[in-house]
Amino acid sequence: MRTWVAPGRVNIIGEHTDYNDGFVLPIALPLVVECAARVRADAMVRVVSRQRPDETVLVAVAELAVERDRVPGWSRYPLGVVAEFVRRGHAIGGVDLELDGAVPIGAGLSSSAALSCAVAIALRDLFAPTVADRELIEIARAAENDYVGAPTGLLDQSASILCTAGHALFLDIRRFVEIGRDDDTNTVAHEQIPFDLARFELELLVIDTGQPHEHVDGGYAERRAQCEAAAAQLGVPALRDVDSVAALDRIADDVSRRRARHVVTENARVLTVAQRLRDGADPRTIGSVLTEGHASLRDDFEVSTPALDAAVAAALGAGAHGARMVGGGFGGSVIALVDRDSTDAVVAAVRNRFADAGFAEPRTFVVGPAAGAHRAD
Ligand code: GLA
């Protein structure tokens, strides 16, 4: 067997912008899902997971579509990837897939895209070597949208496949989708921007609240629908096409206007942060922009939770330069940009705040920009 790995991600800034054709700026995490794989002589897919030692899933390649509702939920991610390769006409034979995930599940760190992308790059190497990265990202996304039923955008899969160590990935989702899928050399739609925190004696702290989120649930889909409705009211294809908050006055309904305002201001924040990092500025200068992003997700987009808000407030109170919730929201994690010598104080402050509020103890870890998906042996 050979092994492929794909990472989870944190988005530095650019939340709920991907499905509005906007901008994102993620890094890959040093936490990966491993997929060991080998071709089988028959036409069956066998999937096992170290996290599910009692379940072996065995399905004929030709039966993947019809078996969708009968297979265990966790196995829909890998099986969905195989099914999507098949649906697109790639010649996929029998395969053994052995999975081992180290990305915390439901923490807003994209464990599901890490899983789909690990399987996707394994299948590409084994059966369909001409598939370009862009199509691979679409395959992993389609697996989650169509086979699992989670209506995600492209952020997570793009981050897992395209990120490189030491860099944040600036991605213009509209251009990325519009440009022909065989062209992986295009550097306009995506750009690797150096993100070197150690040089400035900074660290990026992840605080996992332990409150899981679920995108198959309604909140995420409802936000998507509200954004589409706001764009329709303004007569534009997507909220990406709105570049001033003043233009939103034409939206009568207060909730729709606030949803749209988050997307418009968040896209601007991505451009600001990307430019500062491109210019080589001290990353402390992006801190306040991250914190503004949190306020916008909390007040305008309304996807934060009391625990996420408490983590942000405690981190800022203990000296973090900026802090925000990451991912889709309704639970999950916060990132905080901290001076290296104050990380311990920030962790202690968050723990104390959680204990006082009666929240479960959070999990904290320091991350840096790691490599995207690759073969590991
Ligand atoms: C989830 C989705 C992404 C993106 C984020 C919010 O992680 O999977 O596509 O929409 O939420 O930025």
Side-chain angles (χ1 to χ4, degrees), residues 199-221:
R199 182 156 78 88
F200 293 94
E201 305 200 344
L202 284 164
E203 280 182 337
L204 192 66
L205 178 68
V206 174
I207 303 156
D208 173 8
T209 62
Q211 297 184 337
H213 72 125
E214 229 348 307
H215 291 329
V216 183
D217 289 350
Y220 183 90

Side-chain angles (χ1 to χ4, degrees), residues 233-235 246-253 257:
Q233 273 197 55
L234 293 170
L248 303 175
D249 290 346
R250 284 168 43 219
I251 303 177
D253 165 55
R257 197 170 51 245

Side-chain angles (χ1 to χ4, degrees), residues 227-247:
C227 289
E228 278 159 28
Q233 273 197 55
L234 293 170
V236 292
L239 289 176
R240 148 72 176 269
D241 299 298
V242 182
D243 48 20
S244 89
V245 169

Side-chain angles (χ1 to χ4, degrees), residues 9 11 14-19 152-156 215 220 327-328:
R9 59 98 189 92
N11 201 8
E15 230 61 91
H16 290 275
T17 49
D18 61 348
Y19 54 80
T152 66
L154 277 171
L155 162 67
D156 308 340
H215 291 329
Y220 183 90

